[in-house]
Amino acid sequence: MEWLIQHVLEKYNFWVAMLIIIISLTAVIVKENLLKKLIGLSIFQTAMFLWYVSLGDVGRDILTTWGLKTGTPSILWEEAAEKGYIYANPLPNVLMLTGIVVSAATTAVALAIVIRIYQKYGTIEEDEIIEKEMEFEREGGELKNASS
Amino acid sequence: MLLVEHFPVLIVGLAMFCAYTMLLAGYLNRKLPFFISLAMNCVFFIMSLFVLDHVLNVGPIRYWQGGWRPPWGIEYVIDAMNAYLLVIVISIVILGLIYSRGNVKSEIEERKHPTFYTLVQLMAAGLYGITVTGDLFNMFIWLEIASLTAYALIAVAGGRALRPAYNYVIMGSVGAVLYLFGVGWIYSVTGTLNMADMRLLLPLVYDNRAVQMGFAMIVVGVMIKAYIFPLHLWQPDVYTYAPSTISSMMASVHVKVMFYMLMRMFYSVFTLDFIRHYIGLDLLTCWVAAIAILAGSIWAIKQRNLRRMLAYSSVSQMGYILLGVGLSPFSPWGLVGAVAHILNHAIGKGCLFMCAGAIRQQEGLKDIRDFEGIGKKMPYVSAAFTIAALSMIGIPPTAGFASKLFLILASLDAAQYPFVVILLLSGLLNLVYFWRVIDQIYFVRHEGTKNAGEAEGRGKPLPLSMVAPTLILAALCVIVGIIWLTDIPLPLLDRILSDLRMGVTI
Amino acid sequence: MTPERKVYKRDVIIEVTAKLMSPLILLFGLYVMIGTGGTGGGFQGGTILATGFILYITVFGSEKGREKVPESVNAFFKSFGLFLYNGAGWICILFSLAAAQWLNMPAFWPVTDFVGIAGARSFMVAYMISVGIGLTVMASFVSQYFDLAWKEDDEMEGDEG
């Protein structure tokens, strides 16, 4: 029971984040619809932000060799050792703000490409797209736009 | 503080500034962005030469952004490896820009040209940023800038480039997020994001499973980006269908900078100590590299589309660099070989992709079996292709011979004899697939009736802006090859080895 | 594949609401970007500013939206935001070149000496960078929205690679 509390319940943030990461990576790999892959990628990135932000949570006492609450930012470690301060570490939060910007940009680029693929092939299922490319290769003709 | 110590930050900052200036200038005049880009990159090249000189004579540049001391601030560190790579990246970007002047007219529509050059400049800024930074998270940011612009630039070609571009978006983003995740694992143990500080703090916690997990994630993430063998699956389609300029620039410099990230992780953050004793990855790296070399070459032999063949060949060449890195715990020649091959492959493969684009633009031919008689119609490009192909194969005076020589010396020095056999065998395989092309270009009788109608030859002769970079790169293949065999690079190599803390001189 | 051209009925309620809400959303975005005492910052504020424009574009259509925000204005704001961000750095580099010190933003920010607030130096830098980020993000999102919107007469050249 002690083991269960120490390794699972104290760190449930991380367990949940890893579970979501695994599920979303499965979605990216398994799903054939291009938009579903993109959704999987977006959830993957979000779950990773959750993992990171949980690192800086107040009172998080794991994975450290100095025996301090790792929520405390590293600038204040000497003070915190003496006086027992507890802060939430702002650094993971700020890093993840930047990460969210990157995630938004990636989603935008991917969506733009998906729209062009739809206009060209008329479908966003990857197996149908590959079929159309195979047809084109066998016939050797021009790959026409789906709308013309 | 000297002016030259500001130069790395100036290069990166001015590159970003100039990219957005080009976006505005595109509204004034369609042709202006290209000239701004070319001029600024030439200025950056001169600045990077000064930086290289300073680093070799005085020492590494450590630049604290905002005056904040590391480990709390972001630090930019330029040592010999960085400076060397920065010079290579900037020079190949300049040559790629000159080549693109003639090339984009035929592949990309007119109204997209200013945006195209803006994106190329942003990608270049991202690559310069990865090269100069000394902070793990900052490296992720520049990595994403370089990658996002690359995704967009590949998709500009439209048509069959769209599905590979989407594939690359998904796989590349997964790779970048895995890298960030790995940085998170090692951050959670040490509390710092600075590479030099991480190097000091990590040896205390090498046996912590979080550190090993972080290492695994970072390595896998970077392997996806640098298309090292099992994780290269996005690459062949992308290089086949992307615009010729982008294929050439990505194969020469984009992947080298990604590989440089891997080298930073192996040598400067997780020292070789960790890799040899705690994980035992040194021989495994060498064998993965060996499989990459052989598999890439065997796949390349099977291909009929010229650019697809060159793409698989690039997978094989990444295997060479990885073999050099893998042999470096056993022998310093390994790292010398890897460093040399970074330059040699950049000039060789850049030239080959440029020639492939030139052949496609003038004659409209993509399939190797259609290349008869090109030797007469396009003499300069064919000559450049031949010299670059000889460099890839590893014939003596060219550059590729030097890097293969260093790798063979490393294998002998390390007493790992199977790799000598694999290196010689791969030289033979390279010969097979390059000789097919050279044979078709020069030695097959031109029938005259061969599907002239299918080859939608554009027919116009190539502009000088396309031929000149190929000839310059081909000439560099030979000149650099001769230089590697003399004593001239020794101070640089000594500095690189000592800066990456190998501790031994050659 | 392309949807048929439909005639959209004008709906008074939606149009009036959009016209009323857009400026308020923009004001809120500005507050999030540089308002005091709360969470916020450049990227978040910029996104909300973009939402104000996107609401207008969604309700009134791309053509009328384009009249309000032509592409050159978008490009100008993208570049201007980046120039603000870089400019904050360039001023510090220029001044620290003269003083031969490391790039040190708060210490070398000359403008805020005239402002009588203690600690205003770092705020000025933070605001300038924030506003820069916000403008760039706003222009980028609006521009992307125009590009991702479905247009019936999108023609693309086919290229077999």
Side-chain angles (χ1 to χ4, degrees), chain B residues 216-233:
Chain B
M217 297 238 159
I218 290 178
V219 166
V220 170
V222 177
M223 273 173 77
I224 296 180
K225 288 283 183 186
Y227 55 82
I228 299 178
F229 171 61
L231 304 172
H232 67 284
L233 295 171

Side-chain angles (χ1 to χ4, degrees), chain B residues 80-378:
Chain B
M81 179 78 211
N82 275 350
Y84 166 72
L85 189 66
L86 192 62
V87 171
I88 297 177
V89 172
I90 299 183
S91 51
I92 303 258
V93 165
I94 293 177
L95 287 172
L97 277 174
I98 300 178
Y99 177 80
S100 77
R101 178 112 170 100
N103 187 257
V104 293
K105 293 196 184 85
S106 76
E107 293 193 10
I108 301 173
E109 36 176 291
E110 181 76 27
R111 67 185 172 92
K112 291 189 194 173
H113 285 183
T115 322
F116 177 82
Y117 283 116
T118 308
L119 284 176
V120 168
Q121 179 64 32
L122 275 176
M123 181 171 90
L127 293 176
Y128 304 159
I130 300 178
T131 316
V132 305
T133 185
D135 182 87
L136 288 169
F137 188 75
N138 204 1
M139 193 177 254
F140 168 72
I141 295 302
W142 291 116
L143 170 71
E144 283 294 76
I145 292 179
S147 300
L148 282 169
T149 46
Y151 306 151
L153 283 170
I154 292 166
V156 162
R160 296 197 68 179
L162 292 174
R163 188 188 62 85
Y166 190 77
N167 228 354
Y168 182 27
V169 170
I170 300 290
M171 289 183 81
S173 298
V174 168
V177 171
L178 280 177
Y179 169 81
L180 186 59
F181 203 21
V183 166
W185 283 103
I186 54 180
Y187 166 71
S188 73
V189 183
T190 55
T192 177
L193 285 172
N194 188 338
M195 285 187 199
D197 199 32
M198 188 73 81
R199 183 212 183 83
L200 293 175
L201 290 175
L202 272 180
L204 304 172
V205 284
Y206 272 162
D207 45 359
N208 193 331
R209 276 210 297 270
V211 168
Q212 295 169 4
M213 173 82 158
F215 177 73
M217 297 238 159
I218 290 178
V219 166
V220 170
V222 177
M223 273 173 77
I224 296 180
K225 288 283 183 186
Y227 55 82
I228 299 178
F229 171 61
L231 304 172
H232 67 284
L233 295 171
W234 56 267
Q235 185 247 16
D237 282 328
V238 165
Y239 279 17
T240 312
Y241 299 116
S244 309
T245 318
I246 302 302
S247 282
S248 158
M249 276 208 278
M250 282 187 68
S252 328
V253 290
H254 188 98
V255 67
K256 297 301 178 312
V257 173
M258 303 297 161
F259 204 94
Y260 156 78
M261 278 175 70
L262 189 67
M263 288 173 77
R264 269 292 167 224
M265 292 301 140
F266 268 33
Y267 293 110
S268 302
V269 178
F270 298 91
T271 50
L272 284 179
D273 222 14
F274 177 68
I275 297 175
R276 291 192 83 167
H277 302 301
Y278 284 87
I279 297 194
L281 206 56
D282 40 5
L283 261 188
L284 184 63
T285 314
C286 295
W287 279 107
V288 167
I291 299 177
I293 296 175
L294 292 176
S297 305
I298 294 176
W299 279 324
I301 295 181
K302 201 174 97 106
Q303 302 305 323
R304 296 183 318 216
N305 186 329
L306 177 63
R307 290 210 289 177
R308 192 178 278 269
M309 182 192 93
L310 292 175
Y312 279 112
S313 167
S314 290
V315 172
S316 157
Q317 305 292 321
M318 284 301 115
Y320 281 108
I321 309 183
L322 189 65
L323 182 62
V325 167
L327 285 175
S328 57
F330 305 109
S331 153
W333 286 103
L335 185 55
V336 171
V339 162
H341 204 63
I342 286 181
L343 174 58
N344 301 338
H345 181 240
I347 47 186
K349 214 27 97 53
C351 181
L352 287 171
F353 269 107
M354 285 182 185
C355 294
I359 294 179
R360 179 168 161 238
Q361 175 163 329
Q362 177 170 337
E363 300 290 323
L365 300 172
K366 296 184 285 281
D367 194 324
I368 298 182
R369 299 171 300 184
D370 299 334
F371 278 179
E372 301 159 1
I374 298 245
K376 291 203 175 51
K377 288 189 225 168
M378 307 172 65

Side-chain angles (χ1 to χ4, degrees), chain C residues 76-91:
Chain C
F76 170 72
F77 273 114
K78 273 186 241 186
S79 308
F80 183 61
L82 192 107
F83 293 163
L84 274 182
Y85 192 114
N86 267 7
W90 292 132
I91 295 185

Side-chain angles (χ1 to χ4, degrees), chain C residues 41 77 97 121 148 150 158:
Chain C
F77 273 114
L97 277 185
R121 281 174 171 175
L148 293 178
W150 185 270

Side-chain angles (χ1 to χ4, degrees), chain B residues 1-3 5-6 9-10 12-14 16-18 20-21 23-24 27 62-68 107 109 111-112 156-161 240-241 305 307 360 366 456 458, chain C residues 70-80 82-84 86-87 90 92-94 96-107 122 136 140 154-161:
Chain B
M1 201 173 82
L2 304 170
L3 180 63
E5 297 195 9
H6 284 289
V9 172
L10 278 181
V12 172
L14 273 177
M16 302 270 320
F17 192 80
C18 142
Y20 277 92
T21 314
L23 182 64
L24 282 185
Y27 283 96
R62 293 185 178 274
Y63 194 88
W64 301 337
Q65 294 279 15
W68 300 102
E107 293 193 10
E109 36 176 291
R111 67 185 172 92
K112 291 189 194 173
V156 162
R160 296 197 68 179
T240 312
Y241 299 116
N305 186 329
R307 290 210 289 177
R360 179 168 161 238
K366 296 184 285 281
E456 2 151 330
R458 271 61 157 185
Chain C
E71 189 59 31
S72 53
V73 170
N74 267 337
F76 170 72
F77 273 114
K78 273 186 241 186
S79 308
F80 183 61
L82 192 107
F83 293 163
L84 274 182
N86 267 7
W90 292 132
C92 297
I93 287 192
L94 284 176
S96 66
L97 277 185
Q101 294 241 352
W102 296 103
L103 167 67
N104 189 340
M105 287 188 184
S122 20
T136 304
S140 298
D154 244 336
E155 278 303 317
M156 255 167 331
E157 80 291 1
D159 180 16
E160 74 272 13

Side-chain angles (χ1 to χ4, degrees), chain C residues 88 91-92 95 105-115 121 124-125:
Chain C
I91 295 185
C92 297
F95 277 97
M105 287 188 184
F108 283 101
W109 198 252
V111 178
T112 59
D113 279 342
F114 301 111
V115 182
R121 281 174 171 175
M124 283 299 293
V125 176

